[in-house]
Amino acid sequence: MENRPRYELRPYLVIWNATLGIFSIFGAVRVVPTLIYSAKYNGKEYTLCSSLDTMDVNEFWGCMFTFSKVLELGDTLFVVLRKQKLIFLHWYHHTTVLVYVWYLSPHTPGFAQWFMGMNFTVHSIMYNYYALRAMKFHVPRFISMLITSLQLSQMICGFVLTCMAFQLNLKGVKCGDSYQQIMYGMMMYVSYFVLFANFFYKNYLAGKPKLSNAETSHRKKRS
């Protein structure tokens, strides 16, 4: 790819992001209300510890969610083909989520439905935002900041939920097939929080580095 020209894939990128955005909206609309209802009438232990195999709606969307993580690798393909910078956060996040979701999939623990609900909700905003950007709509900067803030909140909630599942296990309530499922989830969410926090700081809080006189002159000649 190094010596090849970048591919102009904007129309395909619009369709790709819009499709994932609409899919995420449907997922959020189906999973989140079911989750809230279950938490209200069955309690937190049920939603955290009961397998998705016992919940018809979330079992179906659990399968859809799992397969969607394979499709989302297409994001990385677009980055490579368009010769954009592929940051560590991007490929690490996609790869580890895919591995973890498929690791949980044989007997998906209840706390995974919380992960699904949060992920569908954030992605319903994020992918539609990307679709608008691909269509060259001007989207205010604060929307991008909001999306990253939601992702950070998702990582905090995910870590708290895995801690709750771990505490329930210590009390003798079986949450998941093994402690490894919970511990891997904890480590995953901590690493995501650190990376997303660093991304937020560099992109929205840190000031732009000052250019030297030579760099300023060079930019003026190119403009």
Side-chain angles (χ1 to χ4, degrees):
M1 283 298 297
E2 183 177 351
N3 299 319
R4 292 177 177 270
R6 70 187 296 271
Y7 290 90
E8 182 51 58
L9 301 171
R10 191 172 296 276
Y12 304 102
L13 192 61
V14 171
I15 296 171
W16 177 261
N17 286 313
T19 301
L20 287 174
I22 293 169
F23 166 77
S24 297
I25 290 173
F26 276 103
V29 168
R30 294 298 291 154
V31 171
V32 174
T34 304
L35 178 59
I36 294 173
Y37 179 89
S38 181
K40 182 178 179 179
Y41 292 101
N42 298 313
K44 69 175 183 179
E45 289 187 12
Y46 180 83
T47 59
L48 283 171
C49 303
S50 295
S51 172
L52 261 65
D53 298 343
T54 63
M55 308 171 194
D56 293 339
V57 172
N58 285 3
E59 182 184 7
F60 170 77
W61 282 99
C63 294
M64 297 297 289
F65 181 78
T66 300
F67 285 108
S68 73
K69 296 307 159 191
V70 178
L71 295 178
E72 286 175 12
L73 291 177
D75 295 354
T76 305
L77 182 62
F78 275 107
V79 171
V80 172
L81 292 177
R82 300 177 75 216
K83 304 195 80 169
Q84 296 177 319
K85 184 180 180 181
L86 181 61
I87 62 174
F88 175 76
L89 169 59
H90 180 100
W91 66 262
Y92 170 78
H93 176 63
H94 277 295
T95 304
T96 50
V97 167
L98 174 64
V99 172
Y100 185 67
V101 167
W102 280 84
Y103 167 63
L104 293 181
S105 61
H107 299 287
T108 308
F111 54 80
Q113 67 184 322
W114 290 89
F115 303 164
M116 285 165 44
M118 293 188 296
N119 194 264
F120 275 138
T121 302
V122 174
H123 279 198
S124 66
I125 301 171
M126 183 187 77
Y127 277 113
N128 284 297
Y129 163 78
Y130 288 154
L132 291 173
R133 287 286 302 272
M135 288 187 283
K136 297 188 176 181
F137 278 94
H138 173 69
V139 183
R141 178 180 171 83
F142 81 87
I143 299 297
S144 177
M145 295 179 67
L146 173 64
I147 291 171
T148 308
S149 298
L150 289 173
Q151 289 170 320
L152 284 168
S153 300
Q154 178 186 348
M155 304 319 160
I156 294 172
C157 291
F159 178 75
V160 170
L161 289 166
T162 49
C163 287
M164 291 170 63
F166 183 76
Q167 289 178 334
L168 287 169
N169 264 303
L170 292 179
K171 293 178 180 178
V173 181
K174 184 175 175 58
C175 275
D177 286 345
S178 65
Y179 280 107
Q180 282 78 12
Q181 287 184 336
I182 299 173
M183 297 306 297
Y184 291 155
M186 285 183 180
M187 292 187 291
M188 184 180 69
Y189 276 115
V190 169
S191 66
Y192 292 166
F193 179 82
V194 171
L195 291 171
F196 276 101
N198 180 61
F199 177 85
F200 188 93
Y201 174 77
K202 286 185 175 180
N203 284 273
Y204 307 123
L205 299 180
K208 293 183 179 180
K210 294 182 179 180
L211 300 177
S212 66
N213 291 334
E215 288 174 321
T216 303
S217 176
H218 177 68
R219 287 201 174 187
K220 285 181 178 179
K221 289 179 181 179
R222 292 183 64 185
S223 62

